[in-house]
Amino acid sequence: MSTDVPTDVSDGSAAGLPAGHAFEAFDMRVVEVEGADWAMEMDVTPRVVNSSGVLQGGLMATLVDMVAGVALLRGEAPYERGSTSELQISYLDGARVGPVVARAHVLRRGRRSAVVRVEVHDRGADDLHVATATLTFAVRRAAEPGS
Amino acid sequence: MSTDVPTDVSDGSAAGLPAGHAFEAFDMRVVEVEGADWAMEMDVTPRVVNSSGVLQGGLMATLVDMVAGVALLRGEAPYERGSTSELQISYLDGARVGPVVARAHVLRRGRRSAVVRVEVHDRGADDLHVATATLTFAVRRAAEPGS
Amino acid sequence: MSTDVPTDVSDGSAAGLPAGHAFEAFDMRVVEVEGADWAMEMDVTPRVVNSSGVLQGGLMATLVDMVAGVALLRGEAPYERGSTSELQISYLDGARVGPVVARAHVLRRGRRSAVVRVEVHDRGADDLHVATATLTFAVRRAAEPGS
Amino acid sequence: MSTDVPTDVSDGSAAGLPAGHAFEAFDMRVVEVEGADWAMEMDVTPRVVNSSGVLQGGLMATLVDMVAGVALLRGEAPYERGSTSELQISYLDGARVGPVVARAHVLRRGRRSAVVRVEVHDRGADDLHVATATLTFAVRRAAEPGS
């Protein structure tokens, strides 16, 4: 599901989203991170925190899912389509300052499924490691005939 | 993190949230489900779907996290506080019609940690099983002295 | 991988295994459990416990993987082949007495992937819930041409 | 559970295990890997493979659990005790040649819980990445008074 993001999410805008979409609350932008297959930064604003003032866990999972999904559609040997089948996330610490940066690394590029690791750090808190996630996607290549 | 929801989330309103919070896009309400420790329903609206028209995976994880967290603060032997440490979700099918109902079952009520299962079904699609999740929380009881 | 069990594992013997195989230490047998797609029982013996006297966690994962895999090869609409792609297990309590019973429930029977839930209880300890697991398998049906 | 390994497991022998213990089938030894908190190597022998000739998935989970657990008892700020509460493993490819090397990296050293990443590669197959795992442990420090 994560790869079904609006095409313009990659430039950090919310253009193309229906009015009032949950993603409008996400202040995010693409960043270049050496060694990562794809990376995005997101601000920790009052619109995405819980009552303790840290980035809400489900919304962080949303960011992670999106970054992992886009990673599969880019770079070498990109997929045409993908949908999340499994998401596992370990919360290591609260993301309180921001921006957080989510870095995706594709671990496996199979014909039918792909596995992506995403690491999230809080840049404003000395690059604190706030979450680590592993996602599996059902994928499809553009050129694959008969599928 | 999920348990740090605004106190009023339990009645389905978004009162108490800062203006423009991502949760404003969630049309949800508490429902009574026999056998479940806590349950909420959420509509599948244009504000929470992806470009394929199904409930976005990360936003479904957000619902799951919230329902699991509230389940620990209610009922018999409630906890005073909790924060999500692990979230694993398997997406079984797309949630396209709605409303979806997320049912929480507390599997383990430990002194320091709790485990919750959440099942999500699409009521409008013949009760299709769309996701299953297992979450672990770091928890604290009200009465526990010195901790 | 789990489905690549020796054909005779289903009758609880270790016949067909190479001498000294790790599975020889597993005293297990098939049991009928109403409502489960497949179930096996295993004794908690000195050959499979850790130094605390409880069933070693990895060996319990091995049991879980095996029971889930066989569940996919049996019953209605069985698969021809399957291999584990994801295993998530939450340990709820130690399995100290035994036998433990592992019950598999197939949650999703897709064309290319399947999801199985396995619950493990310690029968000798008042049916204590000792673990819950979710597994994903890459699968293949017998009749599927061209794949 | 995983940390309750016999004290001598670290030197690769099975001394101290009850006769016929499943671990006797594991030919493993400690290896030094730069950057890892703990690492062990294990041979892919007929005693630990499935009928397809690859390292059985549950037995690989057992290796992973053991390596992660020992990592927490060693090095700087070691814990006195630990037991596995969550294990998530993604199987990326079959381990057919061996030896496999399992490398543990402690991601979080909390007061009550710790998170460990384990990566498994098949050294005999060009260092093929065969599995990645994330584990959570309930832990206890030696010096912690009153707990």
Side-chain angles (χ1 to χ4, degrees):
Chain A
M1 294 147 199
S2 72
T3 57
D4 296 316
V5 292
T7 49
D8 54 318
V9 88
S10 64
D11 63 11
S13 82
L17 286 172
H21 195 283
F23 287 175
E24 283 185 0
F26 287 59
D27 291 309
M28 53 190 179
R29 54 201 163 271
V30 178
V31 287
E32 283 286 325
V33 174
E34 204 184 307
D37 287 302
W38 187 253
M40 291 188 81
E41 240 182 37
M42 175 174 165
D43 294 324
V44 177
T45 71
R47 304 170 77 184
V48 290
V49 300
N50 61 21
S51 61
S52 297
V54 303
L55 181 53
Q56 203 275 341
L59 299 180
M60 192 192 285
T62 304
L63 170 69
V64 159
D65 182 38
M66 198 178 300
V67 172
V70 175
L72 293 171
L73 305 183
R74 308 268 162 160
E76 39 156 346
Y79 292 101
E80 188 186 27
R81 291 173 56 182
S83 64
T84 318
S85 48
E86 301 275 335
L87 185 159
Q88 183 274 335
I89 182 165
S90 300
Y91 297 98
L92 306 172
D93 225 316
R96 193 174 294 279
V97 186
V100 293
V101 59
R103 274 173 266 234
H105 303 266
V106 182
L107 300 183
R108 179 179 191 270
R109 291 183 189 272
R111 206 164 63 89
R112 297 175 167 194
S113 73
V115 178
V116 185
R117 161 78 30 80
V118 181
E119 306 286 2
V120 188
H121 290 79
D122 187 342
R123 285 197 144 158
D126 237 348
D127 217 37
L128 184 69
H129 197 179
V130 292
T132 183
T134 309
L135 300 94
T136 305
F137 290 79
V139 289
R140 190 144 68 166
R141 284 242 162 72
E144 206 175 333
S147 63
Chain B
M1 293 144 200
S2 73
T3 57
D4 296 315
V5 293
T7 49
D8 53 318
V9 88
S10 63
D11 64 11
S13 81
L17 286 172
H21 195 283
F23 287 176
E24 283 185 0
F26 287 60
D27 290 310
M28 52 189 179
R29 54 203 163 270
V30 177
V31 288
E32 281 287 323
V33 176
E34 203 183 306
D37 287 302
W38 187 252
M40 293 188 82
E41 241 182 37
M42 175 174 164
D43 295 325
V44 177
T45 70
R47 303 171 78 186
V48 290
V49 300
N50 61 22
S51 59
S52 298
V54 303
L55 181 53
Q56 203 276 340
L59 299 180
M60 192 192 284
T62 304
L63 170 69
V64 159
D65 182 39
M66 198 177 303
V67 172
V70 175
L72 293 171
L73 306 183
R74 307 266 161 162
E76 41 157 345
Y79 292 100
E80 189 186 26
R81 291 172 57 181
S83 64
T84 318
S85 47
E86 300 275 334
L87 185 159
Q88 184 273 335
I89 183 166
S90 299
Y91 297 98
L92 305 173
D93 226 315
R96 191 173 296 280
V97 186
V100 293
V101 59
R103 276 174 264 235
H105 302 266
V106 182
L107 300 182
R108 177 179 193 271
R109 291 184 189 272
R111 207 164 63 89
R112 297 176 167 193
S113 73
V115 178
V116 185
R117 162 78 30 78
V118 181
E119 306 287 3
V120 188
H121 290 79
D122 186 342
R123 287 196 142 158
D126 239 348
D127 217 38
L128 183 68
H129 197 178
V130 292
T132 183
T134 309
L135 300 93
T136 305
F137 289 79
V139 289
R140 191 145 67 166
R141 285 241 163 72
E144 206 177 331
S147 63
Chain C
M1 293 145 202
S2 72
T3 59
D4 296 315
V5 292
T7 50
D8 54 318
V9 89
S10 62
D11 62 12
S13 81
L17 285 173
H21 196 282
F23 287 175
E24 283 186 357
F26 287 60
D27 291 310
M28 54 190 178
R29 54 202 162 271
V30 177
V31 287
E32 282 286 324
V33 175
E34 204 183 306
D37 288 301
W38 187 252
M40 292 189 81
E41 240 183 36
M42 175 173 164
D43 295 325
V44 177
T45 71
R47 303 170 79 186
V48 291
V49 300
N50 61 21
S51 60
S52 298
V54 303
L55 181 53
Q56 203 275 340
L59 299 180
M60 192 192 285
T62 303
L63 170 70
V64 159
D65 182 39
M66 199 177 300
V67 171
V70 176
L72 293 171
L73 307 182
R74 309 267 162 160
E76 40 157 346
Y79 292 100
E80 189 187 26
R81 291 172 55 181
S83 64
T84 318
S85 48
E86 300 276 333
L87 186 159
Q88 184 274 334
I89 182 166
S90 300
Y91 297 99
L92 305 172
D93 224 315
R96 191 174 296 278
V97 186
V100 293
V101 58
R103 275 173 265 235
H105 302 267
V106 182
L107 301 183
R108 178 178 193 271
R109 291 184 189 271
R111 206 163 62 89
R112 297 176 166 191
S113 74
V115 178
V116 185
R117 161 77 32 77
V118 181
E119 304 287 3
V120 189
H121 290 79
D122 187 342
R123 285 196 145 160
D126 237 349
D127 217 37
L128 184 69
H129 197 179
V130 292
T132 183
T134 309
L135 300 93
T136 305
F137 289 79
V139 289
R140 190 144 67 166
R141 284 242 162 71
E144 205 176 333
S147 64
Chain D
M1 296 147 196
S2 71
T3 57
D4 296 316
V5 293
T7 49
D8 53 318
V9 88
S10 64
D11 64 12
S13 82
L17 286 172
H21 196 283
F23 287 175
E24 283 186 0
F26 287 61
D27 291 309
M28 52 191 178
R29 55 203 162 269
V30 177
V31 287
E32 282 286 325
V33 175
E34 203 182 307
D37 286 302
W38 187 253
M40 292 189 81
E41 241 183 35
M42 175 175 165
D43 294 326
V44 177
T45 71
R47 304 171 77 185
V48 290
V49 299
N50 61 21
S51 60
S52 299
V54 303
L55 181 52
Q56 203 276 340
L59 300 180
M60 193 193 284
T62 303
L63 170 69
V64 159
D65 182 38
M66 197 177 303
V67 171
V70 176
L72 293 171
L73 306 183
R74 308 265 162 162
E76 40 158 343
Y79 292 101
E80 188 186 27
R81 292 172 55 181
S83 64
T84 317
S85 47
E86 301 275 333
L87 186 159
Q88 183 274 335
I89 182 165
S90 300
Y91 298 98
L92 305 172
D93 225 316
R96 192 174 295 281
V97 186
V100 293
V101 59
R103 275 173 264 235
H105 302 267
V106 183
L107 299 183
R108 180 179 192 270
R109 292 183 190 273
R111 206 164 63 90
R112 297 176 167 192
S113 74
V115 179
V116 185
R117 162 79 29 79
V118 181
E119 305 287 3
V120 188
H121 290 79
D122 187 342
R123 284 197 144 159
D126 238 348
D127 217 38
L128 184 68
H129 197 177
V130 291
T132 183
T134 309
L135 300 93
T136 306
F137 290 79
V139 290
R140 191 143 69 166
R141 284 241 162 73
E144 207 175 331
S147 64

